Amino acid sequence: MINKKLLDKVLSKVEKPARYIGNEQNSIKKNINEVEVRFAFAFPDTYEVGMSHLGLHILYNLLNKKDDIYCERVFAPWIDMEEQIKKNNIPLYALESKDPIKEFDFIGFTLQYEMSYTNVINMLHLAQIPILSKDRKEEDPFIIAGGPCAYNPEPLADIIDFFIIGEAEELILEILNEYKKWKKEGKTKKAFLEKICKLEGVYVPSFYDVKYNEDNTIKEIVPKKEDYPRKIQKRIIENLDEAFFPEEVIIPYIETVHDRISLEVFRGCTRGCRFCQAGMIYRPVRERSIENLINLARKLVKATGHEEISLSSLSTGDYSKLEELVLKLMDEFKEKRIGLSLPSLRLDSLDISIIEEIQKVRKTGLTFAPEAGTQRLRDVINKGIEEEDLIKSVENAFNLGWSTVKLYFMLGLPTETMEDIEGIKDLAYKVKDLFFDLPKGKRKGNLKITVSTSCFVPKPFTPFQWHPQDSIEAFNKKQKHLKDIIKDRKITYNYHDPELSFLEAVFARGDRRLSKVLIKAWEKGCRFDGWAELFKYQNWMEAFEETGIDPHFYANRKRDYDEVLPWDFIDVGVSKEYLIKENEKAQKGILTRDCRLGCTGCGINQSSIGGVC
Amino acid sequence: MTTIRVKFTKEEDLKYISHLDLMRLFQRAFRRANIPIKYSQGFNPHPKFSLATALPLGVTSDGEYMDIELEKEINTKTFIDDLNSVLPKGIRILKASYVDGKKSLMSLIRWSTYIVEFNIKEDLANDIVENSINSILNKDKILITKTKRKRNKVIERKIDIRKYIKDIMLLIKEGKKIIIKTTLKTGSQGNLKPNVILDLLQEYGNLKIDCDNIKIHRLELFIEHNEKVVTPI
């Protein structure tokens, strides 16, 4: 255990010291002499961000249900704490036992966004563990990673010992069982990796060689031995009702980003938006039953006392019995003043009566994500939303007394023209007119429209994975144009930093040569890159320069269909042929229907992964 | 009106929880313990309870208070037991009693008593320490400058904090370790934080204090009732 007195001294010098104390209610303590495996669940961002992540709570409780496994948490210390623990030589420790994580068997990072990669490196360094896999010794823990960014694991190939591709609930227990056996046998770490690389969903990057063409594209990815798998298949949980879901979750002492109960109503999405990685990699759709959800809600309310339940999924309006679920939950919890939130509702699924029901407890703003400014471009991305839908929904909302509306768009989508950009402004102005078209007595509150644009980042396993990202200059120009033409004090225009989105695009579709850029950038002080106040673009550019790597090769280059992509060895169940077909349809603006209305042939139900739609 | 006044502790790791986080902690605890708390009206109903005064981050306490408005009267023993069964280690409800809640608790608070433990850099005789305490108490006036920001202007004003110090007592001196007890003005009619006393001991009393190991603990809060200083319950 680290020196508690020293920790106390350190905590008096940092902001939000409760980030580093653990001991929250429903956190789990075990006697380390009674466990066989010690696992550190590592979230490469602050405590407040990490504790809002449902996956953490699922895996933490799943692992701790096993008597012989002790799962603890560790987050990226904020820069003030980093300075303090460095100065006082306190190795990065886990919150539960306060033991240094370098003493653990596993450190498992969850990769939620590309711009947290430097935090992975920084956390290893603060834990006093060598950063590169090849430099780590037999006594060092296994450094593993999973989460959505693990679907293209290559940029972290030199750092992570093995990746978990897909949903981890079953696979992680299989791995830890193998580990217990291996530990008794006293064999080498490599022997363990050779054993588990045969488990479906495990990828050991050091077992593969990547050969390149002269133009720097990949020639082939070859297993170093015959019996290492050529394809890595993602893992899924077939039946969500039988899958583990925690009935008690840790109650943070400090306010987190999503300070509420998160009920996962289903996984997967049938909409098929062509820019959306989650919509492709999380297929097929699997719902939790209403009975199960209500039962979980009851237990979680009792265990936490939270004032809000959020129904989480990729598109909550698509839950087949949403109305019934909402009514039942409201009925049960209204008296306790527990609000419901539905963070990802789509325009066309927005049933205003449901929203009204929800708002009986708490009234919040409305958020719509048309994603693109014109119907043409919305068809290209297969968003499948008609302007009429938006107009109708907003009109309803204004009639019912709302006055705050947020509109989300993306800039730089394939085939976009200035007309599409101006369409964003037109839509915002139409929404404004709808409000003032109401008779004065019907208007409630002060109209506030917020238009936000993000910069499109092409992602692996989407129909747009071959597209170049817009240049930073192009994004700047488009943002400036919108800034110039949106001139209304009722409308606020926000936009993302294109420099950050550019780096996201580099690492989203990067290969293993980028590991050295990550380390170089970290050496130059880059970490918490997702935090605007700490993002150091210039240092990143120096890191590329000094490692001789051209970032534009990854972000702004158009790929051919026959190019070997760095993530091609991973099978997510959705076929490459389908992605090509979708991309071709996109160019022509042809829609693909929601696959609940009839199979669109993505391949998930024919693959060996076991998806049934 | 059904207002229950509660005395509670805030100890151990809970000293790192801010005032706002403590409020949220209680909100959840009320819900878990099924306390029939009253809610405000409006779009964002919130539970009606208020803490007497904010405890600075890092300070522990045996004497915190809050007033809670209830929908209906419940047995105080049940109330204490139910709430304690859901509260984290480090927060304990000590007492509860129904009060006439006409005046807000916050507006009644006048004084706090603190225990302050610290180390001096070089060992000194007892009477030297006593003298440095007296060097503060013997002053008629101690002026400090307070800055306030109002829009873009910084307003400076001098205030006399001597009248905010009721007493300072040396409790223990063991080598370099010193423990004092002090009662300071608290609340809307004037407020003095206990660390100011340490600043004064350095400035007027010539004590060299090791800033790294300071422990501050609030013992009790006081209100003034019929011109007498009494505890809120």
Side-chain angles (χ1 to χ4, degrees):
Chain A
M1 200 195 284
I2 57 162
N3 183 337
K4 284 290 282 283
K5 239 187 149 165
L6 190 59
L7 180 64
D8 215 38
K9 186 182 128 190
V10 158
L11 289 181
S12 64
K13 295 187 174 148
V14 298
E15 69 168 296
K16 300 194 188 171
R19 286 166 165 171
Y20 313 107
I21 60 175
N23 274 331
E24 307 94 319
Q25 284 179 290
N26 297 334
S27 63
I28 294 162
K29 291 238 171 145
K30 292 188 179 179
N31 181 343
I32 59 163
N33 298 315
E34 288 164 11
V35 297
E36 276 188 69
V37 186
R38 299 191 68 184
F39 190 102
F41 188 103
F43 197 100
D45 208 315
T46 62
Y47 176 90
E48 298 93 301
V49 176
M51 286 300 286
S52 304
H53 173 57
L54 179 59
L56 178 152
H57 296 285
I58 294 178
L59 290 176
Y60 178 81
N61 287 290
L62 169 85
L63 291 177
N64 279 322
K65 279 271 175 288
K66 304 280 173 198
D67 288 338
D68 52 1
I69 300 171
Y70 189 6
C71 176
E72 306 184 41
R73 295 160 297 148
V74 59
F75 301 91
W78 189 247
I79 47 169
D80 56 349
M81 184 63 170
E82 175 183 335
E83 192 192 317
Q84 288 296 330
I85 63 174
K86 271 184 179 162
K87 203 161 82 187
N88 291 285
N89 196 28
I90 300 174
L92 192 62
Y93 60 90
L95 291 185
E96 279 73 5
S97 64
K98 311 279 188 305
D99 284 335
I101 55 171
K102 67 179 168 193
E103 295 167 7
F104 282 46
D105 299 291
F106 290 89
I107 299 174
F109 285 96
T110 179
L111 307 174
Q112 297 295 315
Y113 34 88
E114 292 82 5
M115 298 321 290
S116 67
Y117 291 173
T118 50
N119 277 9
V120 172
I121 296 171
N122 200 37
M123 286 170 78
L124 289 175
H125 175 70
L126 294 174
Q128 303 171 354
I129 295 168
I131 288 158
L132 294 172
S133 291
K134 68 175 173 59
D135 295 339
R136 287 194 285 268
K137 306 268 178 337
E138 289 295 316
E139 62 272 17
D140 284 317
F142 283 106
I143 308 301
I144 74 176
C149 290
Y151 283 90
N152 176 22
E154 287 300 273
L156 288 169
D158 293 351
I159 295 154
I160 302 294
D161 295 327
F162 66 91
F163 291 89
I164 290 180
I165 313 293
E167 297 166 356
E169 287 105 320
E170 290 168 355
L171 180 54
I172 189 78
L173 293 176
E174 292 164 21
I175 291 167
L176 296 190
N177 275 334
E178 287 300 333
Y179 180 79
K180 282 182 265 176
K181 279 190 234 160
W182 168 81
K183 217 173 162 183
K184 287 194 188 93
E185 291 164 358
K187 289 185 183 160
T188 61
K189 277 170 105 177
K190 190 172 178 198
F192 174 69
L193 294 175
E194 295 208 308
K195 186 103 206 214
I196 59 159
C197 79
K198 311 227 162 71
L199 295 173
E200 214 176 271
V202 173
Y203 168 56
V204 183
S206 60
F207 286 179
Y208 298 80
D209 274 325
V210 182
K211 294 182 180 154
Y212 301 95
N213 296 310
E214 265 180 28
D215 65 358
N216 271 330
T217 57
I218 293 169
K219 190 168 179 214
E220 55 176 339
I221 301 162
V222 246
K224 288 181 181 168
K225 279 189 190 170
E226 265 306 303
D227 62 339
Y228 297 156
R230 292 206 143 255
K231 272 261 175 189
I232 310 293
Q233 243 138 27
K234 83 163 180 197
R235 282 294 285 270
I236 61 161
I237 303 299
E238 287 196 28
N239 183 336
L240 220 50
D241 273 328
E242 285 163 20
F244 175 82
F245 200 85
E247 295 177 352
E248 286 184 353
V249 293
I250 297 170
I251 318 173
Y253 282 130
I254 56 173
E255 189 165 14
T256 57
V257 179
H258 298 309
D259 209 12
R260 57 200 186 195
I261 292 167
S262 201
L263 269 189
E264 187 191 31
V265 293
F266 66 91
R267 285 184 193 172
C269 179
T270 53
R271 295 282 176 166
C273 298
R274 290 171 182 139
F275 57 86
C276 179
Q277 187 189 37
M280 298 292 160
I281 60 177
Y282 293 135
R283 289 182 183 209
V285 165
R286 290 145 292 155
E287 290 193 349
R288 251 193 193 94
S289 67
I290 289 206
E291 297 69 41
N292 192 358
L293 288 168
I294 304 234
N295 187 25
L296 285 170
R298 223 171 263 156
K299 287 181 172 151
L300 285 164
V301 165
K302 194 164 182 249
T304 66
H306 273 306
E307 61 167 15
E308 188 179 329
I309 299 171
S310 150
L311 301 182
S312 85
S313 76
L314 293 172
S315 173
T316 300
D318 289 343
Y319 183 66
S320 57
K321 293 171 191 150
L322 183 65
E323 199 169 341
E324 188 186 338
L325 178 64
V326 167
L327 291 176
K328 280 191 170 153
L329 286 172
M330 289 304 297
D331 195 46
E332 173 125 10
F333 298 117
K334 212 183 296 180
E335 209 157 286
K336 288 196 150 189
R337 303 293 204 293
I338 295 170
L340 264 190
S341 72
L342 282 68
S344 37
L345 267 190
R346 285 176 50 109
L347 291 180
D348 43 352
S349 62
L350 183 88
D351 184 340
I352 216 79
S353 65
I354 289 180
I355 306 291
E356 243 193 313
E357 186 63 32
I358 293 166
Q359 306 284 338
K360 278 182 188 161
V361 172
R362 248 168 272 276
K363 203 156 197 142
T364 51
L366 280 182
T367 304
F368 298 97
E371 314 287 6
T374 60
Q375 198 55 48
R376 185 200 68 81
L377 193 53
R378 281 195 293 274
D379 289 349
V380 166
I381 62 176
N382 203 41
K383 185 73 189 179
I385 284 175
E386 300 287 332
E387 190 167 304
E388 255 171 74
D389 301 332
L390 174 77
I391 299 293
K392 217 185 296 160
S393 303
V394 173
E395 214 167 12
N396 272 334
F398 286 156
N399 264 313
L400 288 164
W402 267 274
S403 55
T404 308
V405 175
K406 285 185 191 155
L407 298 168
Y408 285 175
F409 299 93
M410 269 186 275
L411 297 181
L413 288 162
T415 79
E416 179 188 67
T417 63
M418 271 305 172
E419 200 181 310
D420 300 304
I421 308 277
E422 282 163 11
I424 294 173
K425 173 219 150 192
D426 295 342
L427 208 50
Y429 275 66
K430 271 179 207 162
V431 168
K432 183 193 116 187
D433 291 342
L434 284 173
F435 187 80
F436 290 107
D437 285 349
L438 286 177
K440 214 165 183 187
K442 284 223 100 182
R443 282 179 234 155
K444 288 199 193 84
N446 227 332
L447 178 68
K448 192 171 179 278
I449 300 170
T450 309
V451 174
S452 297
T453 63
S454 61
C455 305
F456 173 58
V457 177
K459 295 269 177 156
F461 300 110
T462 65
F464 293 158
Q465 64 177 351
W466 294 278
H467 280 272
Q469 187 189 39
D470 261 2
S471 67
I472 290 174
E473 297 72 40
F475 280 129
N476 283 334
K477 214 175 110 194
K478 289 171 182 177
Q479 289 173 346
K480 184 172 181 304
H481 188 56
L482 269 179
K483 251 192 299 182
D484 288 343
I485 58 175
I486 297 178
K487 287 214 178 305
D488 193 294
R489 45 187 196 87
K490 298 281 177 205
I491 307 173
T492 317
Y493 174 48
N494 295 329
Y495 48 92
H496 281 206
D497 178 1
E499 290 177 341
L500 187 67
S501 306
F502 169 62
L503 286 176
E504 259 179 70
V506 172
F507 290 100
R509 293 185 297 169
D511 56 43
R512 56 174 63 188
R513 289 171 292 192
L514 291 176
S515 282
K516 56 177 185 282
V517 181
L518 286 172
I519 293 169
K520 182 60 87 182
W522 166 75
E523 284 168 357
K524 290 177 172 293
C526 294
R527 63 221 189 286
F528 285 108
D529 300 291
W531 295 72
E533 68 266 42
L534 295 180
F535 179 51
K536 301 183 175 99
Y537 181 67
Q538 208 43 51
N539 299 28
W540 275 101
M541 290 305 103
E542 287 167 24
F544 281 111
E545 180 107 40
E546 286 168 31
T547 48
I549 285 173
D550 174 17
H552 305 287
F553 173 80
Y554 298 99
N556 312 113
R557 182 173 58 89
K558 185 178 186 332
R559 284 108 167 129
D560 291 329
Y561 287 143
D562 56 9
E563 179 176 331
V564 177
L565 301 171
W567 52 92
D568 270 351
F569 65 94
I570 289 172
D571 179 6
V572 296
V574 173
S575 71
K576 204 169 190 175
E577 294 70 45
Y578 175 77
L579 296 178
I580 292 174
K581 200 174 82 192
E582 279 297 297
N583 185 38
E584 289 301 318
K585 283 169 85 176
Q587 308 310 310
K588 296 178 197 124
I590 301 170
L591 288 170
T592 296
R593 64 171 174 259
D594 185 322
C595 66
R596 278 171 310 171
L597 306 171
C599 182
T600 57
C602 73
I604 190 76
N605 54 359
Q606 285 150 16
S607 76
S608 48
I609 290 165
V612 180
C613 311
Chain B
M1 179 103 70
T2 319
T3 304
I4 194 166
R5 182 161 296 165
V6 169
K7 181 182 185 183
F8 64 96
T9 65
K10 187 170 184 259
E11 293 177 299
E12 300 172 37
D13 277 352
L14 273 299
K15 71 179 177 196
Y16 293 120
I17 312 301
S18 72
H19 185 66
L20 275 177
D21 289 327
L22 183 66
M23 302 270 288
R24 293 179 330 101
L25 185 151
F26 274 120
Q27 282 188 35
R28 287 187 303 248
F30 295 145
R31 194 173 280 118
R32 293 176 70 199
N34 285 316
I35 305 293
I37 189 163
K38 205 176 239 167
Y39 279 82
S40 65
Q41 302 292 312
F43 281 146
N44 272 303
H46 55 268
K48 295 188 117 177
F49 72 103
S50 56
L51 300 185
T53 172
L55 190 67
L57 210 64
V59 178
T60 54
S61 176
D62 274 333
E64 296 303 292
Y65 289 85
M66 69 177 151
D67 277 0
I68 307 163
E69 284 181 40
L70 299 179
E71 290 282 356
K72 57 171 196 267
E73 199 165 308
I74 47 171
N75 179 289
T76 51
K77 169 129 189 356
T78 321
F79 173 89
I80 294 175
D81 292 346
D82 286 357
L83 210 46
N84 276 339
S85 72
V86 299
L87 282 167
K89 206 171 145 251
I91 295 188
R92 280 283 150 264
I93 306 292
L94 301 173
K95 278 195 230 172
S97 160
Y98 285 97
V99 291
D100 155 25
K102 269 181 208 145
K103 273 192 185 157
S104 84
L105 176 59
M106 220 180 294
S107 68
L108 294 172
I109 298 295
R110 295 289 177 272
W111 299 98
S112 293
T113 303
Y114 299 95
I115 300 283
V116 184
E117 184 185 324
F118 57 95
N119 287 320
I120 44 176
K121 285 177 181 162
E122 41 202 89
D123 195 4
L124 300 166
N126 265 24
D127 52 341
I128 299 186
V129 179
E130 294 273 11
N131 281 342
S132 51
I133 289 174
N134 287 332
S135 71
I136 298 172
L137 295 177
N138 291 339
K139 285 205 161 42
D140 294 331
K141 261 189 175 180
I142 300 174
L143 290 177
I144 60 162
T145 315
K146 275 207 167 177
T147 49
K148 221 161 100 182
R149 271 177 197 284
K150 212 170 186 184
R151 288 190 200 99
N152 289 326
K153 273 188 284 181
V154 179
I155 299 170
E156 281 194 1
R157 98 196 136 99
K158 283 203 184 308
I159 52 161
D160 173 22
I161 56 167
R162 176 60 192 88
K163 59 179 192 287
Y164 292 169
I165 304 168
K166 199 178 187 86
D167 57 43
I168 308 172
M169 265 162 56
L170 179 64
L171 290 187
I172 292 175
K173 198 192 141 303
E174 286 171 1
K176 292 179 185 173
K177 189 168 105 178
I178 291 178
I179 300 177
I180 57 167
K181 183 176 164 187
T182 179
T183 301
L184 305 173
K185 194 89 184 176
T186 302
S188 49
Q189 298 190 351
N191 198 63
L192 196 63
K193 286 185 178 170
N195 51 335
V196 178
I197 297 298
L198 295 179
D199 296 343
L200 295 177
L201 283 171
Q202 302 215 68
E203 199 183 325
Y204 298 104
N206 290 319
L207 288 188
K208 292 191 177 62
I209 294 171
D210 170 12
C211 299
D212 267 346
N213 289 300
I214 300 166
K215 279 188 200 151
I216 305 176
H217 179 77
R218 179 142 71 195
L219 273 183
E220 187 58 90
L221 282 173
F222 298 95
I223 60 176
E224 268 167 26
H225 189 69
N226 296 335
E227 284 170 40
K228 271 198 291 196
V229 174
V230 293
T231 59
I233 297 184

